[in-house]
Amino acid sequence: MRADETPDSKLKRNFVVAIDGPAGAGKSTIARHLARHFGLLNLETGAMYRAFALKALRLDVPLDDPGALERVAAETEIKLEPGEDENRVLLDGEDVTGQIRNQTVTDAASRVSVFPPIRAAMVKRQQEMGAQGGVVMEGRDIGTVVFPNAEVKIFLDAAPEVRGMRRYDQIGQSGHPSAKPVPPPEEVIRDLRARDERDRNRADSPLRPAPDAFLLDSTNLSLEEAVQAAEDTVEAWLAKQGHTASDR
Ligand code: DC
């Protein structure tokens, strides 16, 4: 602890916010906002599974071969560098931030993430990154496995149709490569349901709320309202510790 620091201010700076939920629930927007608002680092763990999937695809490793994937994982270094808007993702030192959001990598990430050795390697790195606290970490298993003692846990959800339409709008806005037309909404919703199914039903660390998570269903909320509800949850925790927003 620094000389000018009280146990209170240390706690205020070092807490962990775990945000879990399915694709398209608004995790990234909310995590980004909370990180800015409360002065925390924002770490998107999905980007790590995506970077690993990109490597497996590049090496042509079968995505259903846990042994081969584990060997690749043992020789892979993935780093997340928190940035203003999104994390910079380094795969063996190469910046792959712009290459991990397409549908092929998205699907592969969900496939490789079912295997326990892959998860164990990722979880270990995530725990190291968050060991000092002061982070908002988003993913699928943060409140249940990575940081089961996180001070604030939020589980975000929304109806699949709503999440699918949000994802569809995002794809349109982010300028889908012109060679590939934007897929119709039904296809986006179908892909999202398939991924949900895999993420929720895998044997190791399935997507589910921690028993002590605050459940935030944004089906009938605007993204702004969902962001506000998440902010209020963190504020409520801080207030319980004796802090108010004006202390920040
Ligand atoms: O959050 P995302 O869409 O970038 O995640 C991509 C995939 O990675 C997702 O389908 C499941 C997996 N994932 C995971 O298993 N555990 C996490 N903590 C984060 C992501």
Side-chain angles (χ1 to χ4, degrees), residues 19-24 27-28 44-50 100-101 105-114 119 122-123 126 138-142 146 167 195-196 198-199 202 204-205:
I19 302 189
D20 292 302
K27 296 190 298 294
S28 302
E44 309 169 49
T45 60
M48 297 175 69
Y49 289 92
R50 287 171 178 273
I100 56 171
R101 300 280 162 200
V105 174
T106 299
D107 184 64
S110 170
R111 288 175 193 280
V112 298
S113 67
V114 303
R119 302 204 63 80
M122 299 293 171
V123 167
Q126 291 155 12
E138 58 138 309
R140 303 290 188 287
D141 58 344
I142 310 305
V146 182
R167 196 32 64 92
R195 198 145 70 96
D196 273 5
R198 211 163 23 232
D199 294 348
R202 64 184 176 220
D204 185 1
S205 319

Side-chain angles (χ1 to χ4, degrees), residues 187-206:
E187 193 179 318
V188 177
I189 294 171
R190 198 192 57 219
D191 287 346
L192 191 124
R193 279 185 189 277
R195 198 145 70 96
D196 273 5
E197 180 80 6
R198 211 163 23 232
D199 294 348
R200 289 185 202 270
N201 293 316
R202 64 184 176 220
D204 185 1
S205 319

Side-chain angles (χ1 to χ4, degrees), residues 111-180:
R111 288 175 193 280
V112 298
S113 67
V114 303
F115 297 117
I118 306 304
R119 302 204 63 80
M122 299 293 171
V123 167
K124 183 165 173 279
R125 282 171 212 166
Q126 291 155 12
Q127 288 172 333
E128 286 162 5
M129 285 190 292
Q132 304 303 315
V135 298
V136 179
M137 195 173 274
E138 58 138 309
R140 303 290 188 287
D141 58 344
I142 310 305
T144 49
V145 176
V146 182
F147 286 111
N149 296 323
E151 281 79 2
V152 183
K153 298 181 187 179
I154 299 174
F155 190 90
L156 273 174
D157 209 346
E161 296 74 18
V162 171
R163 293 187 284 113
M165 284 312 294
R166 285 183 194 152
R167 196 32 64 92
Y168 174 74
D169 291 342
Q170 262 173 12
I171 298 172
Q173 281 164 16
S174 63
H176 208 248
S178 54
K180 285 195 185 164

